[in-house]
Amino acid sequence: MDAPQGSSLGDQPDGFRSGFVSFVGRPNTGKSTLTNALVGEKIAITADQPETTRHPIRGVIHEDNAQIIVVDTPGLHRPRTLLGERLNEVVKDTYADVDVIGVCVPANEKLGPGDRWIVENVRKVAPKMPLIGIVTKTDIASKDEIGAQLLALHDLLDGADVVPCSAKDNFQLSTLLDVLTSYLPEGPKFYPDEHVTDEDRDTRISELIREAALSGLRDELPHSVAVEVDEVLPNPDRPNVLDVHAIIYVERPGQKKILLGKNNRRMGRIISQSRKSLIELMGQNVFVDLRIKVLDNWQSDPKSLGRLGF
């Protein structure tokens, strides 16, 4: 994976390591939550729906002896749309370029065909890539469940290192970082100490709005939601207020009605929730102006996908 321009920042101690890590796993195995916990800041949105992550997100972890760049990717899956096919290609390119891959499985769910399918496909894409096992969500599992899952994942990965952890209560996160670091090559810092992500401002804004829009949704609708930031401008009448104008795209008129909700109540909740997240991101007061537009079958239309950055 390409390092950022201007890499090798300052002097590092002997034996300093740096490199790229990616997490794989079925939907809702806690990959994005784990990424946020390790980085120490929310850089990846989380939701209960599969395929929430839609593009690789780099998060930078600064340790005394290492700099670890975690690349949070869309989940490898059996695609149903052109968008799904394009996301899979992005994922495969990412997996081929990192230094180590962590296979994530929840402590409270037995290994199944989906886990095996993912491991098989990762090995096809990057046959020489080191894999480690990560048993997530230990805070909601019994000791017996955790032990059984560690053994099962150890076997699935042909004896690879396995680490149990919980992003929610920070259990074993330092141990996981030590294990990941051991797989990285010696090298320089790629990013300054204060750097946490490569994500540009508008991308982070659109993702936080999409996270708010996904809240409480079920079935197929979440896959049909996309967000585009129109403009971000200082409010002409209110000092220290940013006006964020964005568009939420869906594929059918019925989906627009669902997002609006009865008497526009759901839309009001989306605006309120996203505004709170954007205030935290921007560090100042924010006014959020959202519109919903129908973009017919955008997930399978090449022109629409290009417009939305896929």
Side-chain angles (χ1 to χ4, degrees), residues 1-49:
M1 177 164 289
D2 293 337
Q5 294 296 319
S7 57
S8 189
L9 301 171
D11 295 326
Q12 284 81 50
D14 291 341
F16 191 88
R17 295 175 180 269
S18 58
F20 296 83
V21 173
S22 190
F23 300 137
V24 304
R26 290 180 286 106
N28 301 326
T29 54
K31 300 183 295 295
S32 295
T33 302
L34 180 60
T35 297
N36 291 338
L38 292 173
V39 173
E41 182 175 319
K42 183 172 185 174
I43 62 166
I45 68 171
T46 58
D48 293 332
Q49 297 82 14

Side-chain angles (χ1 to χ4, degrees), residues 84 263 267-268:
N263 298 324
M267 187 62 166

Side-chain angles (χ1 to χ4, degrees), residues 59-97:
V60 186
I61 303 166
H62 303 277
E63 297 284 283
D64 291 338
N65 63 337
Q67 189 175 80
I68 307 168
I69 298 93
V70 178
V71 188
D72 188 35
T73 66
L76 194 63
H77 63 288
R78 295 180 176 89
R80 300 168 299 164
T81 63
L82 179 58
L83 172 63
E85 292 176 7
R86 290 188 176 181
L87 294 183
N88 267 359
E89 290 305 311
V90 170
V91 172
K92 290 176 181 178
D93 288 343
T94 301
Y95 291 171
D97 286 342

Side-chain angles (χ1 to χ4, degrees), residues 10 19 35 46 59 89 93 127 175 179 185 190 200 211 224 265 273 303:
T35 297
T46 58
E89 290 305 311
D93 288 343
T175 299
V179 173
F190 295 135
D200 63 79
E211 181 180 50
S224 301
R265 288 176 184 170
Q273 183 177 333
K303 185 176 180 180

